[in-house]
């Protein structure tokens, strides 16, 4: 439920950092709360996103949920598979359901994010 | 904050790992597996909903008919001989307090089904206005209510009860037993499909639920109930209907019978002399973006309910808009997160319904 090699946000995004590139997705807890995701709106490659700003949205039949960026940087890749078939996010939130990759402007921002233990207690407290 | 209530099936829903939510003051299942599969089970086969949160009232006595006739705007004469009719209770201003189903179960005995979210309000409203010799019994306290819906619902229920339930016409209301337990059967629903709503003593509710599941009927949550009713174009109180909305702005102005006296009549007689500020339409979006309740429409008015139609696989919605824009086939703009998105005004129901 909470992979140990990821960092998290209170808004239920996860981040995986490889050198200066961050892969961003939403957590299994988020997909459980949303139910089947039917649309996914992502920024374009080359767009600049700012830490804690909204960068897109995911929409289920019941509700729409904004995506907040865990980091600042330039979008280097988007997962075109999930735009075409958003249910992939439900099926595999931490793997093939990733959303975007971002080239980090300030890798130190990653220190602001939650550890798996911190995120786990955040989910429990909600 | 008021305490959340539970239906007698609460533990069953939790055991089935349903996603739960508060609705009308009750902790209710939204889905068991997912909305789409449950929706399609009802469209293609049969599904069962725990709707024990709905208010079921038994109105009895010498003056029961007169009391209901004055408290509601449809003609209760049409509910004679076990026939459920769609009806509304109005304020003195002519706005909608609740929409409800009313049927005459037997002489001087009526069954009234009201929305969960309005049950307390309606009881408080009705009680002091009843004629002497009218009595209310709140069956919600002692009974559960299940909705069994879908093209196979009547056939499966006939098998389960070993009674030819298909002989009872649409909208009929009658007493029947299941395993020796006295139940009320109503051939009504909120999905656009054929089926029954069954009121059963709480102690037998789980047994009936289990029997329905054992016969391959899919448990369905309020999520699918909402998408099903929306595809069928049926209104939801709090969205299409409210104390800000009169029946003349809805698709149900026919419910108002000016040939009889009822609370709200004078106000509506005045209002119908002029054009209504808003009217209800169905829309289908041209793009895959869902219009939600309260989203503004450029031409005026707002979305009352919206969803992704599981059958059409496109976003649909109902909206209140100025009547001059309510033209079938014309295009309006819905503001969604700061951008306008085009929508076509389409007929309601949104899909063709095969119900008998």
């Amino acid at each position: 439920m909470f992979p140990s090699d990821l960092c998290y946000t209170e808004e239920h995004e996860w981040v995986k950092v490889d050198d200066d590139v961050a892969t961003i997705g939403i957590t299994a807890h988020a997909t459980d709360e949303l139910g089947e995701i039917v649309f996914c709106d992502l920024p374009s490659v080359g767009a600049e996103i700012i830490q804690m700003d909204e960068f897109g949205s995911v929409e289920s039949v019941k509700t729409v949920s904004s995506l907040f960026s865990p980091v600042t940087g330039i979008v280097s890749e988007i997962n075109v598979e999930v735009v075409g078939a958003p249910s992939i996010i439900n099926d595999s939130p931490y793997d093939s359901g990733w959303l975007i990759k971002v080239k980090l402007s300030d890798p130190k921002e990653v220190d602001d994010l939650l550890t798996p233990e911190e995120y786990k207690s955040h989910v429990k407290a909600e | 904050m008021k305490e959340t209530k539970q239906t007698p099936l609460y533990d069953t829903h939790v055991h089935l790992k349903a996603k739960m939510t508060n609705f009308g003051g009750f902790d209710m299942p939204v889905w068991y597996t997912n909305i789409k599969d449950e929706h399609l089970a009802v469209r293609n086969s049969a599904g069962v909903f725990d709707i024990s949160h709905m208010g079921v009232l038994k109105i009895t006595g010498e003056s029961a008919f007169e009391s209901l006739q004055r408290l509601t705007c449809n003609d209760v004469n049409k509910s004679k001989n076990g026939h459920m009719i769609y009806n509304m209770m109005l304020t003195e201003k002519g706005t909608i307090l609740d929409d409800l189903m009313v049927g005459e179960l037997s002489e001087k005995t009526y069954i009234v089904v009201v929305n969960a979210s309005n049950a307390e309000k309606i009881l408080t409203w009705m009680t002091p206005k009843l004629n002497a010799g009218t009595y209310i019994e709140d069956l919600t306290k002692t009974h559960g209510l299940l909705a069994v819906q879908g093209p196979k619902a009547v056939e499966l229920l006939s098998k389960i009860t070993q009674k030819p339930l298909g002989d009872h016409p649409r909208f009929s209301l009658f007493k029947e037993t299941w395993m020796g337990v006295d139940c009320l059967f109503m051939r009504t629903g909120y999905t656009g499909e054929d089926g029954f709503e069954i009121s059963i003593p709480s102690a037998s509710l789980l047994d009936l639920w289990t029997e329905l599941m054992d016969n391959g009927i899919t448990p369905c949550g309020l999520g699918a109930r909402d998408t099903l009713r929306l595809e069928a174009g049926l209104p939801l109180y709090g969205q299409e209907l409210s104390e800000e909305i009169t029946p003349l702005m809805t698709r149900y102005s026919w419910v108002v019978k000016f040939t009889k006296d009822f609370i709200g009549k004078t106000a509506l007689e005045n209002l119908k002399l002029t054009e209504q500020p808003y009217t209800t339409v169905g829309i289908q979006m041209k793009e895959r973006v869902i219009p939600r309740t309260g989203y503004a429409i450029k031409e005026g008015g707002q979305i009352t309910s919206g969803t992704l139609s599981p059958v059409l696989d496109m976003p649909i919605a109902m909206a209140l808009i100025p009547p001059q824009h309510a033209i079938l086939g014309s295009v309006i703009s819905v503001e969604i997160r700061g951008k306008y998105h085009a929508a076509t005004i389409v007929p309601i129901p949104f899909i063709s319904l095969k119900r008998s």
Side-chain angles (χ1 to χ4, degrees):
Chain A
M1 191 78 176
F2 309 101
S4 58
D5 58 335
L6 306 179
C7 304
Y8 300 87
T9 70
E10 290 189 355
E11 285 75 30
H12 310 289
E13 287 88 12
W14 58 260
V15 186
K16 183 164 189 265
V17 180
D18 296 296
D19 298 325
D20 62 347
V21 174
T23 304
I24 299 169
I26 60 170
T27 66
H29 174 75
T31 62
D32 281 355
E33 289 296 308
L34 285 165
E36 64 225 290
I37 296 166
V38 291
F39 304 127
C40 177
D41 185 22
L42 298 179
S44 311
V45 171
E48 187 185 13
I49 60 171
I50 312 279
Q51 188 177 38
M52 294 332 291
D53 274 7
E54 187 175 335
F55 70 91
S57 61
V58 285
E59 188 151 22
S60 68
V61 173
K62 282 306 283 179
T63 188
V64 59
S65 179
S66 295
L67 298 166
F68 294 95
S69 181
V71 292
T72 302
I74 304 293
V75 178
S76 59
E77 197 178 339
I78 68 163
N79 187 350
V80 290
E81 301 290 324
V82 302
V83 175
S87 62
I88 296 170
I89 305 168
N90 295 95
D91 298 340
S92 176
Y94 297 117
D95 192 18
S96 44
W98 66 276
L99 301 175
I100 59 172
K101 290 183 198 272
V102 175
K103 188 164 188 315
L104 295 171
S105 303
D106 178 6
K108 281 204 248 40
E109 279 182 348
V110 175
D111 299 339
D112 304 339
L113 302 173
L114 302 180
T115 65
E117 288 69 32
E118 285 167 340
Y119 178 64
K120 194 175 176 179
S121 36
H122 171 66
V123 167
K124 276 196 178 153
E126 264 194 346
Chain B
M1 210 178 110
K2 274 195 251 177
E3 201 181 323
T4 312
K5 292 181 272 192
Q6 298 175 350
T7 79
L9 288 178
Y10 175 81
D11 289 342
T12 309
H13 302 317
V14 171
H15 183 71
L16 288 168
K17 295 193 165 58
K19 161 99 182 142
M20 306 295 285
T21 195
N22 184 308
F23 183 85
F26 284 80
D27 211 1
M28 298 297 290
V30 199
W31 63 74
Y32 300 88
T33 56
N34 66 73
I35 292 173
K36 187 177 181 182
D37 288 353
E38 293 169 18
H39 182 107
L40 295 176
V42 172
R43 286 277 178 259
N44 299 324
S45 179
V48 56
F49 303 80
D50 175 22
I51 53 167
S52 304
H53 61 312
M54 304 276 296
V56 182
L57 309 176
K58 192 185 213 177
I59 316 281
T60 56
E62 285 301 323
S63 61
F65 172 79
E66 286 75 21
S67 294
L68 285 172
Q69 193 70 322
R70 200 165 39 80
L71 279 160
T72 65
C73 63
N74 200 348
D75 185 357
V76 182
N77 276 305
K78 293 192 297 169
S79 74
K80 293 273 179 210
N81 304 314
H83 187 71
M84 298 296 286
I85 61 166
Y86 186 63
N87 205 340
M88 290 180 183
M89 230 174 262
L90 307 178
T91 65
E92 293 285 0
K93 291 187 295 179
T95 62
I96 302 165
L97 273 172
D98 199 14
D99 66 329
L100 41 121
M101 298 295 291
V102 179
E104 186 200 55
L105 180 62
S106 56
E107 204 182 340
K108 300 182 177 63
T109 301
Y110 292 83
I111 297 296
V112 176
V113 183
V114 303
N115 282 296
S117 53
N118 290 335
E120 276 184 45
K121 177 180 87 173
I122 289 299
L123 274 173
T124 308
W125 172 263
M126 286 178 77
T127 306
K129 296 179 182 66
L130 297 174
N131 294 2
T134 303
Y135 308 96
I136 300 187
E137 185 186 344
D138 185 358
L139 294 182
T140 319
K141 290 182 164 54
T142 51
H143 288 64
L145 190 65
L146 297 180
V148 186
Q149 303 277 298
K152 294 192 178 147
V154 174
E155 176 196 324
L156 286 166
L157 277 172
S158 298
K159 184 183 130 201
I160 290 163
T161 56
Q162 302 189 340
K163 307 274 161 53
L165 297 176
D167 293 351
H168 297 271
R170 285 280 295 173
F171 295 103
S172 55
L173 160 71
F174 55 96
K175 289 181 192 167
E176 189 53 273
T177 58
W178 173 72
M179 304 286 283
V181 179
D182 288 323
C183 302
L184 282 180
F185 279 72
M186 296 166 272
R187 195 164 176 182
T188 51
Y190 191 49
T191 60
E193 298 295 332
D194 198 357
F196 281 96
E197 292 173 307
I198 306 162
S199 170
I200 181 166
S202 300
S204 300
L205 183 62
L206 178 57
D207 289 343
L208 177 58
W209 171 273
T210 307
E211 180 73 12
L212 295 169
M213 298 248 302
D214 289 349
N215 278 273
I217 299 177
T218 305
C220 299
L222 294 185
R225 188 165 161 83
D226 191 50
T227 54
L228 286 157
R229 70 94 191 165
L230 193 40
E231 269 187 351
L234 300 169
L236 173 62
Y237 193 89
Q239 298 189 191
E240 280 70 38
L241 314 174
S242 77
E243 286 183 43
E244 307 299 312
I245 297 167
T246 73
L248 306 181
M249 300 180 204
T250 71
R251 301 177 56 246
Y252 298 90
S253 53
W254 55 265
V255 170
V256 184
K257 297 294 189 281
F258 288 104
T259 48
K260 63 160 216 175
D261 280 325
F262 58 90
I263 296 170
K265 181 180 178 182
T266 311
L268 289 183
E269 277 176 336
N270 289 325
L271 284 171
K272 81 177 168 141
L273 298 175
T274 54
E275 189 174 56
Q276 306 310 308
Y278 295 106
T279 190
T280 306
V281 293
I283 62 169
Q284 181 169 332
M285 302 305 293
K286 293 193 176 228
E287 299 163 79
R288 295 175 66 81
V289 54
I290 301 179
R292 307 276 176 187
T293 306
Y295 285 9
I297 291 161
K298 194 178 180 181
E299 289 76 9
Q302 60 177 22
I303 300 294
T304 54
S305 299
T307 194
L308 177 75
S309 160
V311 168
L312 301 172
D313 196 32
M314 280 303 282
I316 57 169
M318 286 194 275
L320 279 169
I321 66 169
Q324 67 268 27
H325 294 289
I327 301 155
L328 276 183
S330 70
V331 174
I332 58 172
S333 297
V334 185
E335 188 182 342
I336 300 176
R337 294 184 286 285
K339 275 188 270 181
Y340 284 116
H341 294 268
T344 308
I345 298 179
V346 296
I348 293 175
F350 295 90
I351 59 165
S352 62
L353 297 166
K354 313 179 276 282
R355 64 187 167 195
S356 55

